[in-house]
Amino acid sequence: MSATPLRKPSADTAFDVERIRADFPILHNVRPHGKPLSFLDNAASSQMPQQVIDRIVRYETHEHANIHRGVHLLSTLATEAYEGARRSVQRFLNAKEDREIIFTTGCTEGVNLVMHGYGRKFIGAGDEIIVTHLEHHSNIVPWQMLCEEKGAKLRVAPIDDRGEVIQEAYDALFNERTKFVAISHVSNALGTINPVRRMIDVAHARGIPVLVDGAQAAPHIAVDVQALDCDFYAFSGHKVCGPTGSGALYGKAALLEKMQPFKGGGDMILSVTFEKTTFNTIPHKFEAGTPPIMPMIGLGAALDYLSAIGMDRIAAHEHALLEYATEQVSALDGVRIIGTAREKAAVLSFYVGEVHPHDVGTLLDEEGVAVRTGHHCAQPVMQRFGVPATVRASFAFYNTFAEVDALVEAIRKVQKLFG
Ligand SMILES: *Cc1c(COP(=O)(O)O)cnc(C)c1O
């Protein structure tokens, strides 16, 4: 394959990636094996800019207290910061109301909350739940657990050789027993962007609610839950430059109100007697106990940071990186790219000849290039492509074309070693 390089510098200058990189201390502080760091494992967890770190430090040094309960100054400040973060999430997702945003410890907890709060109440024996073959384990296993408990059935929409969900096959799964749909917006293993608006419309035509797993979409593309008309949208804070232990679930108010609480405890009640407990209003009904306050405040700061750059500009820069990387990597002899969907975001999964992905990952690390190897918590995807694992490079807006070049050079070294 011919390798005419894309015009890389122009895209970089327009975006001023170096100015953005200056916000991320870790990119400069760490030199793996004495080499410059090329951090290409953003789909697993992204890095945190100084603005988010500063916000966390300010909370811990000037505002720390428990929320919602105190009348003293610090508790008021902490509550304002926490509820302010909720409004940041609301703006980021363009949700209609801030009470439609529930803080979670991550995407996994968001899916589990919907499984317990909605699924266990409204899904019964013989009912069917539709997922796709692209899902992350955290959007498969909770639904399997529910099916096991209720005697319901999981139906799986297949994918084609590019890694796209076959839409006719998805449509054909619907019948009178279908009660719920759970689909990813972007696949973490392959980068496929699903046509979720279309898939939601198909479900809504039958009155069926849809949960979207947005863990890999929220960091990369502008999300508008009202435009999508999804019923639930879950994502993780640590993949959008926020702290681990943070995340959010969007749910339409009418649905959240019908649901049962996920956990019982303090803060989720209005009154408690041994005879009867009255649950609090949404979102508090779903936030039992003292939440991870600091991580959520960090999450709010992270989303404000991304919005200030602009999700459309982030998406454009990452798209240029992905195109360049796809072209350069596929030009290498014997490298097979897994996942060639027409609409993709920020993920390049591949295989280097017969070399085991773990060996590739280890050798890339020696060159300073951080990638992920393994099944990426999506074993069904690996099974579909007949591979046990892949090497996955995943990009963030702070990555550069030079880092793609470093990746390509490092793969060449692997090939020489095994050639
Ligand atoms: C990472 C990821 C999850 C799980 O997120 P956690 O932060 O581990 O809870 C779910 N779905 C997708 C697509 C992911 O990439």
Side-chain angles (χ1 to χ4, degrees):
M1 201 188 273
S2 77
T4 325
L6 299 173
R7 287 199 331 225
K8 44 182 173 165
S10 61
D12 247 6
T13 341
F15 188 67
D16 203 353
V17 71
E18 287 309 326
R19 220 180 105 196
I20 282 166
R21 289 174 72 78
D23 290 338
F24 290 81
I26 203 167
L27 300 179
H28 314 285
N29 289 342
V30 180
R31 289 179 63 87
H33 313 287
K35 304 272 167 54
L37 170 65
S38 296
F39 188 76
L40 303 179
D41 191 21
N42 297 286
S45 201
S46 54
Q47 301 297 348
M48 213 185 269
Q50 191 63 47
Q51 287 85 338
V52 174
I53 298 167
D54 288 346
R55 184 65 192 91
I56 290 169
V57 170
R58 179 149 67 89
Y59 169 71
E60 294 298 359
T61 54
H62 290 79
E63 299 167 329
H64 179 104
N66 209 333
I67 52 165
H68 294 156
R69 270 160 257 182
V71 292
H72 58 79
L73 175 68
L74 282 179
S75 181
T76 310
L77 290 176
T79 304
E80 276 171 10
Y82 182 79
E83 291 303 325
R86 195 188 308 278
R87 289 189 295 277
S88 293
V89 178
Q90 179 200 352
R91 279 194 299 276
F92 188 76
L93 297 179
N94 192 35
K96 212 182 289 170
E97 304 177 68
D98 62 355
R99 67 191 182 116
E100 296 180 310
I101 305 300
I102 298 158
F103 281 128
T104 65
T105 57
C107 187
T108 302
E109 196 185 50
V111 176
N112 277 276
L113 189 157
V114 176
M115 185 277 264
H116 283 273
Y118 185 90
R120 294 182 76 196
K121 188 166 178 185
F122 296 111
I123 294 169
D127 289 345
E128 295 184 359
I129 300 165
I130 295 176
V131 298
T132 81
H133 208 113
L134 280 177
E135 301 310 313
H136 187 282
H137 294 165
S138 58
N139 201 27
I140 300 173
V141 182
W143 304 115
Q144 275 177 331
M145 290 163 68
L146 180 68
C147 288
E148 184 73 21
E149 178 187 323
K150 298 287 185 182
K153 196 171 162 198
L154 199 65
R155 307 290 309 273
V156 184
I159 53 177
D160 64 17
D161 291 340
R162 288 186 298 244
E164 292 179 6
V165 174
I166 302 167
Q167 293 297 312
E168 306 74 54
Y170 166 79
D171 296 357
L173 289 177
F174 286 84
N175 61 48
E176 62 288 349
R177 293 179 300 278
T178 311
K179 285 289 153 57
F180 200 80
V181 174
I183 51 176
S184 51
H185 197 166
V186 173
S187 150
N188 71 305
L190 303 181
T192 310
I193 303 176
N194 279 321
V196 280
R197 176 62 219 239
R198 182 201 173 275
M199 295 169 84
I200 290 165
D201 286 347
V202 170
H204 283 181
R206 293 170 168 271
I208 297 157
V210 181
L211 171 137
V212 178
D213 168 350
Q216 293 298 340
H220 304 298
I221 53 186
V223 175
D224 182 335
V225 291
Q226 292 188 70
L228 288 177
D229 198 27
C230 55
D231 300 280
F232 301 101
Y233 198 95
F235 71 99
S236 296
H238 70 99
K239 294 177 181 177
V240 288
C241 302
T244 49
S246 70
L249 171 75
Y250 158 82
K252 284 182 181 165
L255 279 170
L256 292 175
E257 274 165 351
K258 287 203 314 194
M259 284 159 60
Q260 60 191 18
F262 172 33
K263 300 172 190 166
D267 231 29
M268 53 76 75
I269 50 84
L270 288 177
S271 71
V272 176
T273 67
F274 283 111
E275 289 69 43
K276 182 161 176 61
T277 288
T278 318
F279 299 133
N280 205 339
T281 50
I282 61 167
H284 310 294
K285 180 168 92 174
F286 296 104
E287 294 180 7
T290 302
I293 301 167
M294 175 273 275
M296 301 316 175
I297 292 171
L299 169 62
L303 298 180
D304 292 347
Y305 176 83
L306 294 182
S307 299
I309 297 172
M311 289 311 295
D312 289 336
R313 296 180 66 221
I314 284 173
H317 176 71
E318 291 177 351
H319 191 74
L321 282 175
L322 180 66
E323 273 197 11
Y324 179 63
T326 303
E327 185 199 74
Q328 296 295 310
V329 170
S330 58
L332 297 168
D333 270 342
V335 175
R336 177 184 165 206
I337 291 181
I338 312 267
T340 49
R342 286 161 295 186
E343 298 288 335
K344 273 185 72 171
V347 168
L348 193 66
S349 251
F350 58 92
Y351 223 81
V352 182
E354 302 292 302
V355 192
H356 194 280
H358 289 283
D359 294 334
V360 178
T362 305
L363 290 164
L364 294 192
D365 178 60
E366 284 173 15
E367 301 301 317
V369 180
V371 295
R372 181 133 305 230
T373 62
H375 55 62
H376 318 298
C377 298
Q379 284 180 347
V381 177
M382 300 296 117
Q383 288 149 13
R384 169 64 177 76
F385 286 92
V387 296
T390 70
V391 183
R392 180 187 71 186
S394 55
F395 304 102
F397 55 97
Y398 44 70
N399 286 130
T400 65
F401 292 90
E403 289 176 312
V404 175
D405 292 340
L407 168 71
V408 172
E409 262 326 293
I411 298 171
R412 283 212 180 94
K413 277 200 177 163
V414 173
Q415 289 182 311
K416 265 200 207 111
L417 212 63
F418 282 84

